[in-house]
Amino acid sequence: AGTMGSGIAMACVNAGFDVTLMDVGADALDRGLTTIKRNYASSVKRGRLTESEVDERIGRIRTSVGYDECAEADLVIEAVFESLDLKIEVFEAIDRVARSGAILATNTSTLDIDRIASAATRPGAVVGLHFFSPAHVMRLVEIVRGQSTAPDTLATALAVAKRLGKVGVVVGNGPGFVGNRLVFPYMDEAE
C-alpha cells in the first residue's frame, strides 16, 4: 500500500477493476488509503472527477492485512521495495495462497524476473508489470517477459495494460529493462 501499490490500485479501480489493497499492517493500509483519497481529492478539485465518481472508485477498494485475500484474485501485482530477497519472500507467500490460474506480477523496475519467478511453483504465471510513478498517471507499463513466462500470461498482461489505458511494451528480462536502461546512462552523463 506504499507509493507504487497505491498508485497501481488507483489505476486499476479507474479502469473498473475491483481491488484488494494488501499490506503487512493496518497502519500501512491506512497510509495507502489516505494517499489514494488525497489524490482523488485533487482530481475533484481540478474538476476531473465528481465526488460520486470518487466514492464509487474508493468503494471498489477492499483492504487486507496479509496474503489470504490473494486466494480469490485473478491477478496479483506485488509492489514492495526493490529488494530481491524481499520480493522472493513475498512471491513465496503469494504463491502459497494464490489460486491456480492466477497471474503473479512484480512491479520491479530493475530486478531479475527469472529470479523472482523461481520463488513460485508456477513460473509460467509470472510476469513483470513495471509501472512508472505515479502509476495512476503515467501511461507506460513495461511488460517484462521472463524465460518461463507463458504466452497466455503475456497476452493477459497486454490486455490488462490496454484496459488500464496504458501503453504496454513487452521487454526482455535484462538489467533495467528498457526505461531504466536508458535513464541510468543519461543520469550518469548529466551528473
Side-chain angles (χ1 to χ4, degrees):
T3 301
M4 290 307 296
S6 296
I8 293 168
M10 286 182 70
C12 290
V13 296
N14 289 345
F17 288 107
D18 292 328
V19 171
T20 301
L21 185 63
M22 300 178 346
D23 213 308
V24 294
D27 289 345
L29 285 171
D30 289 342
R31 282 190 303 274
L33 281 175
T34 298
T35 298
I36 289 169
K37 289 175 182 176
R38 186 176 56 243
N39 288 337
Y40 278 135
S42 176
S43 293
V44 169
K45 186 176 180 179
R46 289 192 316 265
R48 294 183 183 202
L49 293 173
T50 65
E51 289 284 349
S52 62
E53 289 170 323
V54 168
D55 291 344
E56 186 272 329
R57 290 172 191 203
I58 290 175
R60 281 191 278 109
I61 300 174
R62 297 183 322 182
T63 59
S64 174
V65 173
Y67 298 98
D68 291 342
E69 295 293 323
C70 288
E72 299 176 26
D74 295 319
L75 170 65
V76 180
I77 304 172
E78 161 277 311
V80 299
F81 182 75
E82 283 291 288
S83 160
L84 184 60
D85 291 338
L86 178 58
K87 287 186 182 285
I88 286 173
E89 179 183 319
V90 168
F91 257 75
E92 287 172 345
I94 292 169
D95 187 56
R96 281 192 292 273
V97 297
R99 68 170 185 75
S100 175
I103 293 175
L104 311 181
T106 177
N107 182 51
T108 185
S109 59
T110 59
L111 300 175
D112 185 342
I113 298 297
D114 295 324
R115 293 281 310 279
I116 295 168
S118 72
T121 59
R122 46 185 145 181
V126 176
V127 66
L129 286 177
H130 174 217
F131 291 79
F132 290 80
S133 186
H136 63 290
V137 175
M138 300 300 285
R139 293 203 56 225
L140 179 63
V141 175
E142 288 180 317
I143 300 171
V144 187
R145 179 181 46 226
Q147 188 174 24
S148 299
T149 303
D152 60 330
T153 299
L154 193 61
T156 302
L158 281 161
V160 167
K162 184 175 184 177
R163 180 162 168 194
L164 294 176
K166 306 288 186 187
V167 176
V169 178
V170 177
V171 299
N173 183 25
F177 313 125
V178 173
N180 284 324
R181 200 174 222 168
L182 292 170
V183 167
F184 291 154
Y186 178 77
M187 288 171 41
D188 286 343
E189 290 302 314
E191 189 176 309

